[in-house]
Amino acid sequence: MAFMKTLLSLISLLSSALLLHATVEGPKTITLSLIHPFSPHSPFYPGNITDMEKITLLIQGTQARMHHLFSTMRERNWNGSSEVDDIVAPVQRSNLFYVAQVGIGSFSAFTGRKDMPYFLVIDTGSQLTWVQCEGCDPCIPLQQPNFPYNRSNSYKPIPCGDPTCPTPRQPCFESFCGFRIGYGGDSPPLTVGAIVRETLTFTSDFRGTEAYNNLFLGCGFKSYNYNFPPEKIGGILGLGFAGNFNLPFLNQVGKKRFSYCLSISEHPNSQLNIGEGAKMVGPKVLSTPLLRGSNEALYYLDLQDISIQNVPLRLQGSFSEGSAIDTGCPMTILVSNVYARVRIGFVQYFAQFHIQPFDSGSKPREVSLLDLCFPIPHGFNMFPTMTFHFRGADLVVQPTGILLAGSNYVCVALQSGSITMIGAYQQTQFKFSYDFELGDRTRGEIGALRFAPQNCGSPA
């Protein structure tokens, strides 16, 4: 069945574990090529694993993310924003990483290039970019040397108490401007270090390099409880909400928008753009406001209702806590009362074809962590869409962004939780642009999310 094959290939992506290989098209736009982690071209290629093992990674990653966000939502950092960092789920549970290769520092005698390249986890919920530095103890295990900051020609320390220190509410690290990033959970990953100024360089396969000088960079000297299995990840590239703060990467490089497109397949590349190239226009482009929420580093939307195959569930008023959108969350989480009604909607849809969900005793063993699964007769292809009705825009998710497939069954890729968050599984085959030059500030809008359907594996 063609649909089943498409779903099975999609499972490979739906860990949202895409590798970003950094390239730059020019001074106005930073362009990052998205490479699937299960591709043999990825440095994080896990070898041949089964579709069920990929499903398990997806489920466990979502559960860990949900636990992390809920358990740390009350924590605050130096700007009054939450200390939640999007990578906690993949760090602790699986290989669900967005990663960019970024050059750091300036080395006149460094063989082959002027900087040192590191893979940094892309984090849309963090305002701090940091790399593990030489002299760390304890350290995250790496297969390459930690960043030798003292040998970099562009390294500039910031003394403790200096008025340019972007983290004045954080304790100093020894005699320098300091940072402390905690990730929540029972045995939380934690990094402590100094804020410095450095040069970050994005390399291009076609047009050389683009360097950004004098940026704030965290130099990690103490890291606890991390579990990066490939031992190739050196730190974090923070793309969280910038606001008026000096620390976030977007503000430092002077960019007002970024966009990404998550491919349905692990073979073609797609892109993440930061800058002018992220602008979206056209008759098919829809727009909804970006809002602040309980976690000020995350991006929130005004979700008003949900439909299953064009049948509204009449959920108005059910999203009082808001709905975040997160590329790092493998699949969508719905607050428990909303999930219960969405579940009924799927059951009612399949009932018209005389298909009833598995009960707890008959559900396939390999998908025991998923709540709602249906046996699928041979040749059946009447699968539903799911529409998220945002203020001013409807995100119509096709069946390949909703269902996980086995040999003779499908499961709904949603989970119940304490928050509502649109995950990466439901974002595939759309291009999304986060544009902070748009939005009505008098109504509390921080920007606009623009989106349109797109084949993310082909140039756009």
Side-chain angles (χ1 to χ4, degrees):
M1 191 186 329
F3 176 73
M4 291 297 185
K5 291 181 179 179
T6 301
L7 280 173
L8 287 172
S9 67
L10 181 59
I11 291 167
S12 298
L13 163 77
L14 292 174
S15 63
S16 284
L18 299 177
L19 172 69
L20 301 180
H21 179 75
T23 65
V24 172
E25 291 188 343
K28 292 185 178 180
T29 304
I30 301 171
T31 302
L32 306 175
S33 294
L34 302 175
I35 304 172
H36 196 282
F38 296 149
S39 166
H41 301 292
S42 166
F44 302 98
Y45 179 55
N48 293 324
I49 61 176
T50 67
D51 291 322
M52 292 304 104
E53 288 173 325
K54 294 171 185 177
I55 289 177
T56 298
L57 287 177
L58 170 66
I59 298 167
Q60 291 179 341
T62 302
Q63 289 178 333
R65 174 59 61 85
M66 177 176 61
H67 174 265
H68 162 66
L69 290 176
F70 182 70
S71 65
T72 61
M73 199 163 291
R74 298 178 186 87
E75 296 180 14
R76 299 289 166 182
N77 66 12
W78 54 85
N79 282 314
S81 59
S82 170
E83 277 195 351
V84 170
D85 249 304
D86 278 22
I87 64 161
V88 63
V91 166
Q92 293 181 315
R93 298 293 183 91
S94 65
N95 295 330
L96 310 179
F97 301 116
Y98 283 94
V99 185
Q101 191 180 50
V102 178
I104 301 178
S106 302
F107 301 88
S108 55
F110 194 75
T111 304
R113 54 187 295 167
K114 295 181 180 180
D115 54 70
M116 291 192 66
Y118 291 90
F119 287 108
L120 305 182
V121 174
I122 294 292
D123 185 357
T124 59
S126 175
Q127 297 170 333
L128 174 66
T129 295
W130 63 267
V131 68
Q132 184 164 266
C133 286
E134 189 174 78
C136 59
D137 182 23
C139 308
I140 301 170
L142 284 179
Q143 293 179 352
Q144 68 181 99
N146 296 308
F147 178 61
Y149 63 98
N150 275 328
R151 283 176 277 166
S152 170
N153 297 326
S154 49
Y155 162 73
K156 298 177 183 177
I158 303 175
C160 180
D162 190 285
T164 66
C165 174
T167 58
R169 299 182 186 178
Q170 289 279 297
C172 291
F173 182 81
E174 297 180 350
S175 60
F176 301 100
C177 173
F179 77 92
R180 178 186 178 93
I181 293 290
Y183 295 86
D186 297 329
S187 182
L190 173 70
T191 292
V192 179
I195 302 288
V196 304
R197 287 189 179 271
E198 255 297 358
T199 295
L200 269 60
T201 302
F202 297 86
T203 60
S204 171
D205 295 333
F206 306 103
R207 302 186 184 181
T209 62
E210 184 72 21
Y212 293 85
N213 302 316
N214 215 33
L215 300 183
F216 290 122
L217 175 73
C219 209
F221 289 108
K222 295 180 180 294
S223 290
Y224 306 89
N225 303 323
Y226 285 87
N227 181 23
F228 288 136
E231 297 184 349
K232 294 183 179 180
I233 296 175
I236 304 297
L237 177 61
L239 287 177
F241 174 57
N244 297 318
F245 307 141
N246 295 324
L247 184 64
F249 179 77
L250 291 174
N251 279 356
Q252 293 193 69
V253 296
K255 307 303 183 184
K256 298 296 185 182
R257 61 182 63 86
F258 69 89
S259 68
Y260 57 80
C261 195
L262 304 184
S263 173
I264 199 171
S265 170
E266 63 194 63
H267 299 294
N269 295 348
S270 56
Q271 291 184 333
L272 183 148
N273 293 313
I274 304 172
E276 288 299 308
K279 183 179 292 186
M280 288 182 64
V281 295
K284 295 184 179 180
V285 175
L286 302 177
S287 182
T288 187
L290 285 169
L291 307 170
R292 290 189 177 185
S294 56
N295 180 339
E296 294 182 8
L298 293 175
Y299 303 103
Y300 284 78
L301 307 172
D302 182 6
L303 178 59
Q304 299 177 340
D305 200 3
I306 294 173
S307 294
I308 307 299
Q309 193 60 32
N310 302 318
V311 177
L313 299 181
R314 305 190 184 283
L315 298 169
Q316 290 85 350
S318 299
F319 303 99
S320 59
E321 298 299 318
S323 172
I325 182 168
D326 180 14
T327 57
C329 188
M331 61 185 179
T332 293
I333 304 166
L334 298 174
V335 68
S336 56
N337 64 316
V338 170
Y339 175 82
R341 295 175 68 177
V342 170
R343 189 185 194 281
I344 291 171
F346 278 107
V347 171
Q348 290 176 338
Y349 173 82
F350 282 101
Q352 65 182 312
F353 303 105
H354 307 290
I355 298 174
Q356 297 296 322
F358 291 111
D359 59 31
S360 58
S362 61
K363 188 165 57 176
R365 182 184 308 170
E366 62 267 30
V367 291
S368 59
L369 293 176
L370 280 172
D371 170 62
L372 185 59
C373 299
F374 298 88
I376 299 301
H378 179 73
F380 181 83
N381 62 359
M382 301 293 290
F383 296 98
T385 60
M386 180 176 179
T387 301
F388 295 93
H389 299 282
F390 299 114
R391 186 200 308 174
D394 291 343
L395 178 66
V396 183
V397 182
Q398 298 302 311
T400 50
I402 301 169
L403 303 172
L404 290 168
S407 57
N408 57 358
Y409 64 86
V410 295
C411 296
V412 178
L414 300 170
Q415 289 199 311
S416 175
S418 303
I419 56 176
T420 296
M421 179 168 288
I422 311 301
Y425 193 44
Q426 284 69 36
Q427 297 180 49
T428 53
Q429 296 304 85
F430 285 88
K431 182 177 180 179
F432 292 90
S433 174
Y434 295 64
D435 196 321
F436 306 106
E437 289 188 338
L438 303 177
D440 185 347
R441 300 303 187 271
T442 64
R443 301 177 60 183
E445 300 171 8
I446 62 174
L449 179 69
R450 313 199 80 194
F451 58 88
Q454 184 170 306
N455 181 355
C456 298
S458 63

